[in-house]
Amino acid sequence: MPSVPKIGMRLIKTAVAVFLCFLVDFFRDGGTPFYSAIAAILCMQPELGSSLKVGNIATIIGGIVGMAMLAFERYAVPIEPVLVRYLVISIMVIILMYITVLLKKPSCAYLTCVVFMSIVISHVADANIYVFALNRILDTLIGIFIAIVINAIHIPHRKEQGLLFVT
C-alpha cells in the first residue's frame, strides 16, 4: 500500500496566511477578505524571493488597469451588451499578460489578471469606483504582505531523507 504524503510546511504556511487575512479583515472596515486570501495563496511560493517577485507589481498593474476600465465605462462609453463587455475583459487579460512579459515578470501574470478581474467583473455599478478599486488593491497588498511575512518564517522541521527528486 503506497504511503500518503505528509502535509508540508508550504500548505501549513498558506493556511496560516489565509487565516491572518481573515483576522486582519475582522479588524478592518471596508475590506473583503476573499481578495486578501486569494493573494496570499497565489503568493505563497517555495522560496521567499519568489513571493516577493510575484506580488506588488502584479497588484499595481492589475489594479490601475481595472480602475481605468471602470472609469472608462462610467465616464466615457458603457460597454454594452454584457457579452461585449466580457469580450473586452477577455482581451484585456491578453494585454495584461503581455505587459508582464514585456516587463520580464511573466510570473506576475496570473495575479495581475486576478486583481484586474476582481475589480471589473461585477463592480461596475459601485457608487465610488475609485474607493472600491483602491480597497481591492489594498486587500490584495495585505494578502501579499502576509504571505511574504509567513513565508519568511523558518520553522524547523524534519526533512524526508528517503526521497530523491530529479529534475
Side-chain angles (χ1 to χ4, degrees):
M1 178 190 279
S3 65
V4 176
K6 294 181 181 176
I7 294 175
M9 287 308 300
R10 183 174 173 197
L11 296 176
I12 292 169
K13 286 181 172 186
T14 301
V16 169
V18 167
F19 176 74
L20 290 175
C21 289
F22 292 137
L23 188 64
V24 167
D25 183 72
F26 183 78
F27 294 106
R28 180 175 170 247
D29 187 32
T32 305
F34 172 79
Y35 302 111
S36 299
I38 291 295
I41 291 167
L42 292 175
C43 287
M44 189 61 68
Q45 300 292 317
E47 285 104 30
L48 180 60
S50 300
S51 294
L52 292 169
K53 287 180 193 174
V54 168
N56 296 328
I57 192 161
T59 302
I60 293 177
I61 294 169
I64 289 172
V65 173
M67 194 182 323
M69 183 169 166
L70 286 183
F72 178 78
E73 287 185 275
R74 170 81 47 96
Y75 303 114
V77 179
I79 303 173
E80 301 274 336
V82 71
L83 284 179
V84 172
R85 186 169 191 274
Y86 292 160
L87 177 63
V88 170
I89 291 170
S90 300
I91 292 168
M92 290 302 300
V93 167
I94 294 170
I95 293 168
L96 287 168
M97 293 173 82
Y98 189 66
I99 288 170
T100 65
V101 170
L102 291 175
L103 294 173
K104 297 182 178 18
K105 304 280 186 191
S107 62
C108 296
Y110 57 91
L111 187 57
T112 300
C113 293
V114 167
V115 173
F116 168 74
M117 288 190 294
S118 74
I119 291 171
V120 300
I121 286 185
S122 60
H123 302 285
V124 72
D126 285 353
N128 189 327
I129 58 174
Y130 302 109
V131 170
F132 171 79
L134 291 173
N135 270 318
R136 294 306 66 82
I137 292 168
L138 181 58
D139 288 332
T140 305
L141 290 173
I142 288 169
I144 292 165
F145 175 75
I146 289 172
I148 289 169
V149 169
I150 296 299
N151 211 13
I153 297 171
H154 294 288
I155 301 169
H157 62 285
R158 198 179 118 224
K159 292 194 176 193
E160 188 66 44
Q161 299 296 325
L163 295 177
L164 174 66
F165 293 100
V166 178
T167 57

